Amino acid sequence: MKLTDIFIERPVLATVLSLLILVVGLRALFDLPLREYPRIETTVITITTAYPGASADLVKGFITTPIQQAVASAEGIDYVSSKSTPGLSVISVNMRLGYDPNTALTEIMSKVAQVSNQLPAGSQQPVIQKGTGRGTALMYLAFYSTEMTPQQVTDYLTRVVQPKLQGIEGVAQAQILGGKTYAMRIWLEPDKLAAYGLTPQDVVAALQANNYLAAVGGTRGDFVQVDLNARTDLHTPAQFRELVVKRADGALIRLGQVARVELGAQSYDSNVSFNGLRATFIGIEPTPSANPLDVATGVRKAMPGIQAQLPSALKARIVYDSSTYISDAIREVIKTIGEALLIVVAVIFLFLGSLRAVLVPAITIPLSMIGAAAIMLWLGYSLNLLTLLAMVLAIGLVVDDAIIVVENIHRHMESGMRATQAAILGARELAGPIMAMSFTLIAVFAPIGLVGGLTGSLFSEFAFTLAAAVFISGIVALTLSPMMSARLFAGAQDKRGFAARLDHLFGWLQSAYQRRLGRTLDYRPVTYLMALVVLASIGLLYAGAKHELAPTEDQGILFMSANGPQDATPQYMEAYANQFYKIFSNFPDADRYFVVNGMGGVNNTIAGLAFKPWSERGTTIMSYMPRLQREVAGVAGLRTVVFPQPSLPGAGQGLPVQFVITTTADYRALDEVARALEQKAQASGLFAYVDNDLKIRRPRVDVVVDRAKAASLGLSMQDIGGALTSLLGGNYVQRFSIEGRSYEVIPQVADRLRANPDLLKSYYVRSADGTMVPLSAVVSLKGEVEPSALNQFQQLNAATIGAVMRPGQPISAGLDYLRNEAKRLMPADYGVSYAGESRQYVEEGNALLYTFFFSIVLIYLVLAALFESFRDPVTILVTVPMSICGALIFIYLGLASVNIYTQIGLITLIGLISKHGILIVRFANELQQAEGLDKRAAVERAAAIRLRPILMTTAAMVVGVVPLMLAGGPGAVSRFDLGLVIFTGMLIGTLFTLFVVPALYMLLARSHQADAGSPAHQASPA
């Protein structure tokens, strides 16, 4: 008795096994977490160190360099980049994919602590933050008021809202953007200081001496103790104005006499607005291991409570939420699963013509998919866009086994067998092929799960979900399907109407195909030549197609990055950036828009244009992108580029193309090479926008001290430098408190008195004899230009060519062009690297190509073991390149690109198309063994008999992916690319299977006639 016989003869056992799969699978399905992508930990540790007033050279040499050298030795680092600008050092440590973020943070903090004592005395403590490296936050919340000042709004957010948001699970940081934190601004008047014989250092000393935090303790007697609080500090602008800075001739000179004191803002360099209203934003940054959907849900749940507690004059609104795209994309895929299921069941009915026959695969499909959920939960997977896509493909995969079983049993019943007898014989015949097909598909998907890097992290769950569905499908096909067929088909031998007409149609089709196949086999060399031509064309089609890591998706928002002149002020940037609002409002599908000035530097602006939901507009953001680029490029005074959100996680921030030039040479030599490459790129016609981040255009004035004169007047360099630092640096010298929270005290010259470098000469310092000496007596000014920022990559001086490709141009073409031109332009001591999305493409672009060949080898070995032959697998797999060629034709024609989705589709085709060859070759071998037929007669008959199940399985798979090809809304492009490959590859591959496999069988297959009559082959396949 065969294993399949047990389940046919014991229907309760078969039913219980299936119910067990159903119950366990349903329980697992409700426990699976919902995410956008499989859990991927992309960690970026950012070390920010402020040194107000310091030049970029000073920041780089005394802050950036020692910290970089220390952290570079930490474990798990992919690359380190840094940016040194006047007053600020920012070091980004990009960790390897999957490296534990908490371990990374701990080790980086330890490394920074080792060199903290080497930092200059005037610099602030390094701030170390852990994040995902996203260019934009997960969510932006806007808080705005027409009655409250920006300082009041910021203070409320800092005290009340920010702690609540940062307490939500998964939130790494609730960053306030455009905030105006309270600070006591001491606007010094140089002329008045000189008139009273005061220097800026005197003011600083008076502040430190008279705004003093005293921790005096308390008194203690035998039985009573009393805490003491000495009010030696200051709290209000009035108190600061009354602070005595000098006593002269019995008169007291107060701070208010030499400076304007106000409760102002810590910085005026940035501002934010949305829909034209001035606002303060809070950006929600998730932790590297957090689920963005859970974080966004937590924030949305907290918002009503936050809004209810806001002051009546303060309003709040969610301006941007990237989880909306995620949720809508997941809903679209779930909808696609339902559509594919209905379409596949309808197609099966059209092939079988019997509702009873359709019931078997109709039960098999959901049972296999639900059963796969149990394996997914056991493996720690989630329901995400990729595992749900795997479920869509699984519909066409898992139905194959049930179709083959039903069709074979149906064929035996037509020859006069009873239903039970036909089920037993049909299941026996197909046990081997079904196991072979199941092992084959699992062997195809297994290598995908073993790929490293981003591709492996993304698609391992996709691959093993499909493998799990195939595994469960194989179990159901050998247990439940034969039993159901035996019960449902009992007494159903007589066919009339639609079913009879279908049988007649397929009978005619089978005869016609067998005649055509016979004529084809008479001219086998022609078939072989055609197969060789198709095989040779694959390389040309693949090389000529567009290549990119992933297609650009419509995520409902377009971002803009705008740069002003290097000497631009916040007022300049705001005046020009406000012109964006008129442009945004002219887009009919515009919903919300915002502008953030001072993001990453005073002369930098980030803007966003969010569109209406997908269901409310008929135009994609990619269609709007060229128009928006043209219009924002027309804003005079700013250089602006439009770009979409990256399609894949971990792409970091910045433009899609980031080509990094590194060298040990100085920045001026580097600038010559970078500008030459930038000019070449602009002239190439490949790029819509090209920029070079090394711009040696920032005005700088060197204050040259006549040391001899200074010495003769008794002035030290400390006197001169200290005066300039106190007047211009903008660093805080101490702190004061308001209602239990401390804020900075910042002495500085007012804007009108530092409007240009020549005003420095009117500042005064005190000589050794107490005389006030104008700086013009000991200094001269020399104009220079310097880089806007001193950037480094892997501790080498670096310049990055950032670019956006023209519509229709893939990122591969841009990177290849830059790489080739760089080789011609760069001296020997220069090198190249990549960042952001470009780095992802270079590292991951060919990962699946190698996996494709590995899958071919692995499936060949599995088939060789199952068929006990090294020749039969070659016959089976010959149609793989044929189907690949069929898919590549349409990719070459521009309907899609070679990306990770189409590559996954090509790998999937290996298993799909090889199932047809397995059916033909296995059955032909059995016909030779059981009936003593020669190779030609056996393969002609096998191909003709298996024509109907091959066409049915092909139709089921092809129509199953039609919803992917007709998809709209979020995530539609990647679904279309995957569906296109499966659709075209299966159609063309099946056509080749029906004619090339029999021809190659004649050439390679071993004759099995000698095995006829052996005990192992007594059962007839017919």
Side-chain angles (χ1 to χ4, degrees):
M1 178 181 289
K2 301 290 185 180
L3 179 65
T4 53
D5 298 357
I6 298 174
F7 295 99
I8 295 172
E9 296 174 358
R10 299 185 61 185
V12 174
L13 176 62
T15 304
V16 167
L17 178 61
S18 297
L19 287 174
L20 185 62
I21 293 173
L22 178 66
V23 171
V24 174
L26 284 174
R27 182 70 179 85
L29 192 61
F30 288 105
D31 286 343
L32 285 170
L34 192 65
R35 305 177 64 96
E36 179 183 15
Y37 289 111
R39 179 171 173 171
I40 299 174
E41 292 183 343
T42 55
T43 306
V44 178
I45 308 295
T46 305
I47 308 162
T48 306
T49 310
Y51 191 3
S55 67
D57 280 327
L58 190 61
V59 169
K60 176 176 176 286
F62 288 86
I63 295 179
T64 304
T65 297
I67 294 178
Q68 267 192 138
Q69 290 176 342
V71 302
S73 60
E75 294 290 333
I77 292 178
D78 182 18
Y79 66 94
V80 179
S81 61
S82 67
K83 181 178 183 179
S84 302
T85 56
L88 191 66
S89 165
V90 180
I91 300 171
S92 298
V93 184
N94 293 261
M95 310 306 296
R96 289 197 303 266
L97 188 70
Y99 194 81
D100 181 65
N102 296 319
T103 302
L105 180 62
T106 301
E107 190 163 2
I108 296 298
M109 291 176 66
S110 173
K111 297 293 183 181
V112 173
Q114 293 174 10
V115 296
S116 59
N117 62 339
Q118 301 177 23
L119 304 182
S123 65
Q124 298 176 14
Q125 285 294 313
V127 177
I128 305 173
Q129 294 176 318
K130 173 183 65 177
T132 60
R134 289 169 55 106
T136 57
L138 174 68
M139 302 176 72
Y140 287 115
L141 317 178
F143 297 84
Y144 54 97
S145 174
T146 56
E147 301 176 26
M148 298 172 65
T149 66
Q151 291 94 314
Q152 290 173 329
V153 172
T154 303
D155 197 57
Y156 180 84
L157 297 181
T158 304
R159 291 172 181 267
V160 180
V161 178
Q162 191 179 43
K164 289 182 179 180
L165 293 173
Q166 291 187 153
I168 296 172
E169 185 176 358
V171 174
Q173 181 184 12
Q175 182 183 12
I176 295 179
L177 302 173
K180 300 289 187 289
T181 303
Y182 277 129
M184 194 63 68
R185 301 306 302 249
I186 314 296
W187 300 112
L188 300 173
E189 303 277 354
D191 290 341
K192 292 181 180 180
L193 287 171
Y196 286 110
L198 290 169
T199 65
Q201 294 97 314
D202 293 333
V203 175
V204 172
L207 285 168
Q208 292 172 340
N210 295 290
N211 180 33
Y212 183 75
L213 296 177
V216 297
T219 64
R220 175 176 291 184
D222 291 337
F223 296 100
V224 178
Q225 66 178 17
V226 178
D227 295 332
L228 297 178
N229 179 27
R231 296 184 176 275
T232 57
D233 57 335
L234 306 175
H235 303 280
T236 66
Q239 290 175 339
F240 275 91
R241 291 189 195 101
E242 294 300 314
L243 184 146
V244 177
V245 293
K246 185 179 180 180
R247 182 189 299 271
D249 299 328
L252 300 179
I253 300 170
R254 302 182 185 277
L255 183 59
Q257 296 175 256
V258 296
R260 180 169 55 88
V261 180
E262 68 175 8
L263 185 60
Q266 184 176 312
S267 173
Y268 297 93
D269 288 346
S270 67
N271 58 75
V272 175
S273 55
F274 90 98
N275 289 5
L277 298 173
R278 180 62 62 88
T280 302
F281 276 18
I282 292 184
I284 305 298
E285 300 280 357
T287 61
S289 58
N291 183 349
L293 284 174
D294 292 342
V295 174
T297 301
V299 172
R300 284 188 172 276
K301 286 181 179 179
M303 279 302 290
I306 291 173
Q307 290 173 316
Q309 295 181 353
L310 292 177
S312 58
L314 185 61
K315 307 297 180 184
R317 181 178 175 182
I318 297 176
V319 175
Y320 170 64
D321 182 2
S322 63
S323 70
T324 302
Y325 163 78
I326 301 171
S327 300
D328 289 344
I330 289 173
R331 279 195 293 270
E332 285 293 327
V333 180
I334 293 174
K335 175 185 171 185
T336 301
I337 291 174
E339 292 171 345
L341 183 59
L342 292 176
I343 293 173
V344 167
V345 171
V347 168
I348 295 171
F349 174 74
L350 292 177
F351 271 85
L352 295 177
S354 167
L355 290 175
R356 293 187 179 190
V358 170
L359 193 59
V360 178
I363 291 176
T364 298
I365 297 172
L367 185 60
S368 300
M369 294 169 64
I370 292 171
I375 299 177
M376 290 170 62
L377 184 64
W378 176 61
L379 292 173
Y381 291 170
S382 62
L383 286 175
N384 54 66
L385 289 175
L386 297 179
T387 53
L388 289 172
L389 272 179
M391 291 294 189
V392 176
L393 295 185
I395 293 173
L397 283 173
V398 302
V399 76
D400 286 3
D401 295 337
I403 287 174
I404 293 167
V405 170
V406 170
E407 191 279 333
N408 201 41
I409 294 171
H410 173 267
R411 182 173 58 85
H412 284 302
M413 289 178 63
E414 287 185 332
S415 65
M417 289 187 182
R418 290 182 300 106
T420 302
Q421 183 183 2
I424 291 174
L425 182 57
R428 286 181 181 179
E429 291 174 353
L430 291 176
I434 287 175
M435 291 176 61
M437 290 187 294
S438 297
F439 283 125
T440 297
L441 283 170
I442 293 172
V444 167
F445 296 126
I448 301 176
L450 302 177
V451 176
L454 177 67
T455 304
S457 299
L458 286 174
F459 284 97
S460 59
E461 292 193 14
F462 172 91
F464 288 130
T465 297
L466 271 177
V470 169
F471 175 73
I472 298 296
S473 169
I475 293 175
V476 173
L478 296 177
T479 57
L480 183 66
S481 296
M483 183 275 292
M484 288 185 65
S485 299
R487 296 301 183 272
L488 293 173
F489 295 169
Q493 288 92 337
D494 294 333
K495 288 192 176 184
R496 298 182 180 86
F498 182 61
R501 289 195 295 273
L502 275 179
D503 286 345
H504 176 74
L505 173 64
F506 278 106
W508 173 84
L509 189 63
Q510 179 177 321
S511 300
Y513 163 67
Q514 192 163 358
R515 290 193 300 271
R516 175 68 65 182
L517 177 61
R519 288 196 292 271
T520 302
L521 292 178
D522 290 336
Y523 301 96
R524 292 194 299 276
V526 176
T527 304
Y528 301 148
L529 179 61
M530 181 181 65
L532 289 174
V533 170
V534 170
L535 185 62
S537 68
I538 290 178
L540 297 175
L541 292 172
Y542 185 85
K546 293 192 300 183
H547 291 251
E548 58 186 348
L549 186 61
T552 301
E553 292 287 0
D554 181 349
Q555 299 190 40
I557 189 168
L558 288 172
F559 288 96
M560 282 131 279
S561 175
N563 295 318
Q566 296 301 305
D567 55 354
T569 63
Q571 293 80 5
Y572 177 100
M573 296 301 297
E574 184 174 6
Y576 283 101
N578 283 345
Q579 297 180 36
F580 289 154
Y581 287 121
K582 184 177 180 181
I583 295 173
F584 296 161
S585 62
N586 289 332
F587 281 80
D589 290 328
D591 186 19
R592 303 174 307 279
Y593 29 88
F594 58 88
V595 174
V596 183
N597 293 312
M599 186 88 165
V602 174
N603 68 322
N604 295 329
T605 292
I606 292 292
L609 172 56
F611 293 88
K612 294 176 182 177
W614 295 265
S615 59
E616 298 178 19
R617 55 182 166 93
T619 306
T620 65
I621 64 168
M622 284 76 81
S623 301
Y624 280 131
M625 189 171 164
R627 173 189 164 188
L628 182 59
Q629 178 65 63
R630 286 194 306 271
E631 295 190 14
V632 297
V635 175
L638 296 178
R639 192 156 187 262
T640 308
V641 60
V642 180
F643 58 95
Q645 279 275 62
S647 299
L648 297 178
Q653 53 188 323
L655 301 181
V657 176
Q658 295 185 54
F659 187 82
V660 185
I661 307 170
T662 60
T663 182
T664 56
D666 62 41
Y667 284 99
R668 294 192 180 275
L670 174 60
D671 182 55
E672 292 181 8
V673 175
R675 279 193 293 112
L677 185 58
E678 180 186 7
Q679 291 167 1
K680 289 283 188 181
Q682 288 173 338
S684 69
L686 294 172
F687 306 96
Y689 175 90
V690 183
D691 190 31
N692 166 22
D693 71 349
L694 179 59
K695 300 178 178 68
I696 305 184
R697 306 171 197 160
R698 185 183 181 92
R700 186 188 75 193
V701 173
D702 289 340
V703 180
V704 182
V705 181
D706 188 328
R707 290 177 176 265
K709 277 189 180 181
S712 67
L713 294 171
L715 294 174
S716 68
M717 297 302 104
Q718 185 177 4
D719 294 332
I720 298 171
L724 290 173
T725 298
S726 300
L727 289 167
L728 303 172
N731 200 356
Y732 76 96
V733 295
Q734 58 176 184
R735 305 184 77 88
F736 75 105
S737 67
I738 301 176
E739 297 181 3
R741 187 176 290 268
S742 70
Y743 302 91
E744 296 179 354
V745 178
I746 306 174
Q748 193 176 25
V749 174
D751 287 353
R752 62 183 175 81
L753 298 175
R754 54 191 175 103
N756 60 74
D758 288 333
L759 291 173
L760 270 65
K761 296 180 180 180
S762 63
Y763 298 167
Y764 289 82
V765 291
R766 189 168 49 227
S767 66
D769 61 3
T771 305
M772 300 304 293
V773 179
L775 278 178
S776 58
V778 292
V779 304
S780 61
L781 305 180
K782 181 182 178 182
E784 289 284 349
V785 290
E786 65 177 358
S788 57
L790 302 180
N791 298 322
Q792 290 192 308
F793 191 90
Q794 296 291 55
Q795 302 186 68
L796 296 173
N797 294 342
T800 300
I801 305 297
V804 175
M805 304 304 301
R806 283 193 184 278
Q809 293 291 346
I811 192 173
S812 59
L815 292 177
D816 289 342
Y817 178 84
L818 291 174
R819 192 182 301 113
N820 294 332
E821 289 297 323
K823 287 180 182 177
R824 297 193 307 103
L825 295 171
M826 294 190 313
D829 59 341
Y830 283 62
V832 300
S833 191
Y834 309 89
E837 200 173 330
S838 298
R839 192 176 187 87
Q840 277 190 335
Y841 173 77
V842 171
E843 292 181 348
E844 306 289 338
N846 292 320
L848 287 174
L849 181 62
Y850 306 131
T851 304
F852 177 85
F853 292 107
F854 183 37
S855 296
I856 291 283
V857 172
L858 191 59
I859 196 173
Y860 172 81
L861 295 176
V862 169
L863 289 173
L866 291 171
F867 280 81
E868 194 58 34
S869 168
F870 288 109
R871 291 188 287 181
D872 285 347
V874 176
T875 306
I876 293 170
L877 294 176
V878 70
T879 51
V880 169
M882 310 297 173
S883 63
I884 299 300
C885 177
L888 285 176
I889 289 172
F890 293 89
I891 294 176
Y892 179 82
L893 293 175
L895 273 70
S897 64
V898 176
N899 55 62
I900 56 175
Y901 293 100
T902 52
Q903 287 176 328
I904 285 292
L906 293 174
I907 294 174
T908 304
L909 279 177
I910 299 174
L912 293 176
I913 206 66
S914 61
K915 295 172 74 171
H916 298 342
I918 291 172
L919 286 175
I920 294 174
V921 172
R922 183 78 176 220
F923 198 44
N925 288 345
E926 290 178 353
L927 286 172
Q928 286 192 65
Q929 296 163 353
E931 300 185 12
L933 300 179
D934 60 23
K935 287 198 295 184
R936 175 159 179 166
V939 76
E940 284 187 10
R941 184 176 171 190
I945 291 175
R946 292 306 185 210
L947 176 65
R948 189 171 185 177
I950 287 174
L951 293 179
M952 288 173 65
T953 56
T954 298
M957 192 69 234
V958 166
V959 300
V961 298
V962 166
L964 292 178
M965 299 181 64
L966 300 178
V973 182
S974 56
R975 297 200 299 275
F976 172 84
D977 286 2
L978 181 60
L980 176 71
V981 169
I982 301 297
F983 184 90
T984 56
M986 279 297 290
L987 282 179
I988 296 175
T990 299
L991 178 64
F992 280 115
T993 296
L994 295 175
F995 294 98
V996 176
V997 167
L1000 204 65
Y1001 185 88
M1002 293 291 297
L1003 179 67
L1004 296 178
R1006 181 173 64 88
S1007 175
H1008 294 272
Q1009 287 177 298
D1011 299 329
S1014 64
H1017 304 285
Q1018 288 298 308
S1020 171

